[in-house]
Amino acid sequence: MAVIALPSSVAAIVAELPRSLVLSLTPIIFIGVLLVFTNVFTTIRYHLAQRRNASSTKPQLPAPLPYTLPFLGQALSWLAPQPGLFWHRIFNAYPDLRRSGTCTLQLANQRAHILFAPAAVQALFRAPLTRYQFNKKLLTTSLGLSEREAALFVGLDDDTIDPDTGLNAIQLQERMNHEYLLKPERVNELTKEFIRVLKDTLDGELKNEGEEVELDLYEWVRNRMFKASTDAFFGTNMMEMMGPQFEEDFYEFDRSFLTMFFGVPRLFAPNAFNVRDRLLDGLERWQKQMQENTNGVPADPDGDIDWEPNYGSRADRARQQYYAKRGLSLRARGGMDLGFLFGASSNAIPATGWMLMHIIDPNGDKTVLPRVMEELQTAKNPDGTVNIQTLIALPLVASIFHEILRLYVDVLVTREISHDTVLPLEEGKNPRQTLLKGGGVVMAPSFLGHRDAKVWSPPGMPPYDVFYADRFLKTDPETGKTVFSTAGSVGKLFPFGGGRTICPGRVFAKQEVLGSVAYMLLNFEFEVLKYVDVKGKTVNHFPGLREGFSGSGIMVMGGDVRVKMKRRR
């Protein structure tokens, strides 16, 4: 066998190097070789898998994407804090990936299958897969519950039957969501209370003739809606007891929610954990005081009282009953209240801000604001309030709402693969299929469905990454009227998730957002003065996205719109 020797000049140079230098370079060379080998090996594996999947008629495993870092895989690039950056890099590097409809990521010790074929996403929603372990992890990492109390709340491995209802823990949660967050009469009660608090707050502003004020629009919206939402859900005592720092602490927690979920240690994110601890301390005190106020028995959520100042809404009182049935400590109850507050305020409020900013944007379509105002007048009651049922049926308003969700929602619909599962990758007979092996997780990122150029940028339609108020409007061929429609978006538009774990608060969230937009536009005029960045400095463009991890829900604006506001007369 022939031996390949180093050129004599190179060998001479190596021989003359100090032994200490050679020894110090050895680990670096080894690491470099390991990284190159890992990248080459995983790249070859990816292309072989893609070729196999394209020619096979049998269900195949998703192609595992290449990576360079052994043991970590794509974990570090996955945690890039710029919305969509990871996906842009992946699809630019592997242009053939979009056609495959699925792939696999290696996120440290976790194998994650990614679905973005609409047929596969829709099938995932129907599949008998759950996310109970995922929910438990969220409660322990982000909300600070102990392993024991998180398992108690979720109901893992617990078939204990509630004597009052004959249901187990998981069934109790499903019943609670259905009865108090989805039933129309309960949602309407909650919306009515939210609008009442919001109206009382806004009616006290700019009362004098000709009075006007300059402000940052989203900051103003966030403050007013946070109070209205918190009071409507939890009663007035929470805001009073938590103090003036409550809102700022909550939104700092909101920014750090996924930092804690992804396992970043306290050492590297001390402020995130300190803010959460401060919130939990306050909510534990609130829980203790409410226990004293009610003698440990909240008003019956099924009784005649729709809202009261201690525990607020029927939905919250039902949750307090569930906490007691599960034997949660007061601190754990505070953690779950923080999670409920996160669900109520972290998405609807930014969605409202985005809607208002786009509607009044002077550099956007200038016909949008007058058309919206014309629609809103039809939903205005004689006393100045808004008819919610009329409001949610307005076609342009509904189109704008869904365009905001399409453009700015980034959720990861996650399921645990408890057993081998086959899903179709396309519609029709004999479709291509993917095989998901048991033991990992599968995720459907809304970012990929919502920003698919093939779906949302057909000829004659503005680009998928541009706000377009009329995107969900069409002309009814029978009546000739303009109507709202999401036809053809199944598996491509899922801002609230899907299947059994679809967001239970979605009905109220829509009414909360549209009610806020309507009341603010009907009662105030906004003149845009300029755009500002997160530090309040003037910029020459509409606000972009704030830094954040994948799966953060509604992506928050990285800036604001400075406006001059005055009351409509």
Side-chain angles (χ1 to χ4, degrees):
M1 181 176 66
V3 176
I4 299 175
L6 288 171
S8 59
S9 59
V10 176
I13 293 172
V14 172
E16 292 178 4
L17 289 174
R19 180 178 176 80
S20 60
L21 179 58
V22 173
L23 291 175
S24 64
L25 288 175
T26 299
I28 298 175
I29 295 172
F30 172 77
I31 292 172
V33 170
L34 179 62
L35 297 181
V36 171
F37 174 79
T38 301
N39 181 267
V40 170
F41 171 76
T42 57
T43 299
I44 293 173
R45 183 181 63 178
Y46 166 75
H47 288 293
L48 290 175
Q50 285 288 71
R51 187 178 303 172
R52 177 201 67 211
N53 292 353
S55 60
S56 176
T57 58
K58 296 180 180 180
Q60 296 293 332
L61 296 171
L65 288 182
Y67 54 85
T68 301
L69 298 176
F71 312 115
L72 290 177
Q74 293 92 3
L76 294 183
S77 53
W78 171 259
L79 293 176
Q82 287 82 34
L85 178 62
F86 178 81
W87 303 119
H88 286 305
R89 287 175 174 172
I90 290 297
F91 283 96
N92 285 336
Y94 308 103
D96 63 328
L97 186 59
R98 178 65 79 171
R99 292 195 303 273
S100 67
T102 182
C103 65
T104 296
L105 304 179
Q106 192 65 43
L107 304 176
N109 63 347
Q110 178 71 70
R111 185 177 73 245
H113 302 300
I114 307 298
L115 300 180
F116 42 92
V121 172
Q122 189 65 11
L124 177 66
F125 294 161
R126 297 191 296 265
L129 302 176
T130 65
R131 46 172 277 177
Y132 299 135
Q133 292 292 343
F134 175 89
N135 291 347
K136 181 185 171 212
K137 179 184 176 183
L138 186 149
L139 301 189
T140 57
T141 56
S142 295
L143 301 182
L145 272 71
S146 67
E147 290 281 339
R148 184 187 69 84
E149 292 195 286
L152 272 176
F153 180 87
V154 175
L156 285 174
D157 303 320
D158 182 359
D159 292 327
T160 303
I161 299 300
D162 173 50
D164 296 328
T165 61
L167 304 175
N168 63 28
I170 292 172
Q171 292 168 332
L172 279 173
Q173 293 176 64
E174 292 174 347
R175 176 185 179 275
M176 183 167 58
N177 290 335
H178 179 267
E179 290 294 317
Y180 306 108
L181 291 175
L182 290 172
K183 273 194 171 182
E185 59 269 28
R186 300 301 188 223
V187 176
N188 292 340
E189 284 180 353
L190 195 55
T191 302
K192 180 181 177 182
E193 183 60 28
F194 169 82
I195 294 297
R196 183 194 67 78
V197 180
L198 183 67
K199 181 178 182 299
D200 288 349
T201 301
L202 297 183
D203 284 355
E205 301 190 32
L206 302 179
K207 298 172 67 174
N208 299 325
E209 184 73 31
E211 188 178 0
E212 58 186 28
V213 64
E214 290 187 14
L215 49 80
D216 290 341
L217 180 61
Y218 178 61
E219 181 181 356
W220 177 78
V221 168
R222 194 186 81 172
N223 175 266
R224 275 63 179 172
M225 286 188 68
F226 182 76
K227 172 177 170 50
S229 180
T230 304
D231 283 3
F233 270 109
F234 296 101
T236 53
N237 288 323
M238 179 177 284
M239 288 289 291
E240 294 170 0
M241 287 191 64
M242 294 295 287
Q245 188 65 22
F246 183 28
E247 180 185 344
E248 287 305 317
D249 278 352
F250 172 77
Y251 281 102
E252 183 59 39
F253 165 79
D254 175 47
R255 283 188 285 272
S256 306
F257 187 87
L258 289 182
T259 299
M260 293 181 285
F261 178 76
F262 287 134
V264 177
R266 182 185 285 264
L267 176 66
F268 299 110
N271 189 56
F273 288 88
N274 291 339
V275 167
R276 186 188 69 183
D277 291 346
R278 190 158 62 240
L279 286 168
L280 291 179
D281 290 344
L283 290 169
E284 186 176 9
R285 289 193 299 271
W286 175 76
Q287 275 283 351
K288 184 177 180 180
Q289 185 61 55
M290 295 309 100
Q291 290 278 307
E292 294 178 4
N293 289 359
T294 63
N295 295 318
V297 183
D300 182 2
D302 294 315
D304 295 332
I305 301 174
D306 55 3
W307 184 91
E308 54 90 26
N310 289 306
Y311 283 120
S313 65
R314 296 180 190 271
D316 185 47
R317 299 196 313 264
R319 290 177 67 84
Q320 302 302 327
Q321 285 186 348
Y322 180 76
Y323 300 160
K325 287 178 183 290
R326 303 303 296 163
L328 298 187
S329 66
L330 293 185
R331 191 168 187 83
R333 298 181 193 195
M336 294 309 306
D337 291 333
L338 181 58
F340 195 53
L341 183 63
F342 177 82
S345 297
S346 292
N347 294 299
I349 296 176
T352 304
W354 282 121
M355 274 194 76
L356 285 169
M357 288 161 62
H358 277 293
I359 288 172
I360 68 171
D361 183 20
N363 293 319
D365 182 350
K366 292 180 173 56
T367 71
V368 171
L369 177 58
R371 290 162 57 207
V372 167
M373 294 305 300
E374 183 178 357
E375 279 198 344
L376 293 182
Q377 289 296 334
T378 67
K380 186 176 181 181
N381 293 322
D383 63 355
T385 60
V386 177
N387 184 309
I388 293 295
Q389 299 311 309
T390 301
L391 176 65
I392 63 177
L394 299 175
L396 178 59
V397 169
S399 179
I400 293 173
F401 175 67
H402 282 77
E403 177 69 344
I404 293 298
L405 299 183
R406 185 197 68 81
L407 197 55
Y408 295 116
V409 167
D410 180 13
V411 295
L412 297 170
V413 179
T414 304
R415 299 289 189 272
E416 295 143 7
I417 309 173
S418 55
H419 55 276
D420 290 0
T421 302
V422 174
L423 299 176
L425 292 170
E426 53 199 12
E427 303 290 348
K429 295 181 178 180
N430 302 316
R432 289 184 302 120
Q433 295 177 308
T434 187
L435 171 63
L436 309 178
K437 299 292 286 186
V441 298
V442 56
M443 296 186 288
S446 68
F447 194 94
L448 297 182
H450 292 191
R451 290 173 176 248
D452 184 345
K454 184 178 179 181
V455 173
W456 301 107
S457 301
M461 187 73 75
Y464 70 90
D465 56 353
V466 171
F467 171 80
Y468 179 48
D470 294 21
R471 198 177 296 272
F472 293 92
L473 296 181
K474 69 174 187 179
T475 301
D476 187 314
E478 295 184 3
T479 65
K481 293 182 178 180
T482 299
V483 295
F484 164 73
S485 173
T486 57
S489 65
V490 174
K492 308 162 191 173
L493 181 70
F494 45 98
F496 297 108
R500 290 183 64 185
T501 61
I502 191 170
C503 174
R506 62 192 181 278
V507 180
F508 171 70
K510 180 179 181 179
Q511 296 188 6
E512 178 185 10
V513 171
L514 298 189
S516 299
V517 168
Y519 198 80
M520 290 172 179
L521 286 177
L522 286 170
N523 288 277
F524 298 97
E525 295 181 23
F526 301 96
E527 177 190 348
V528 175
L529 302 177
K530 59 183 178 179
Y531 307 125
V532 296
D533 63 15
V534 291
K535 296 181 180 179
K537 294 182 180 179
T538 302
V539 293
N540 60 3
H541 56 81
F542 190 84
L545 302 176
R546 191 186 70 191
E547 290 189 348
F549 294 120
S550 291
S552 57
I554 283 274
M555 296 179 284
V556 178
M557 52 287 293
D560 212 328
V561 175
R562 184 76 48 81
V563 299
K564 182 185 292 184
M565 185 179 83
K566 62 181 180 181
R567 184 168 289 278
R568 290 188 185 275
R569 301 296 178 183

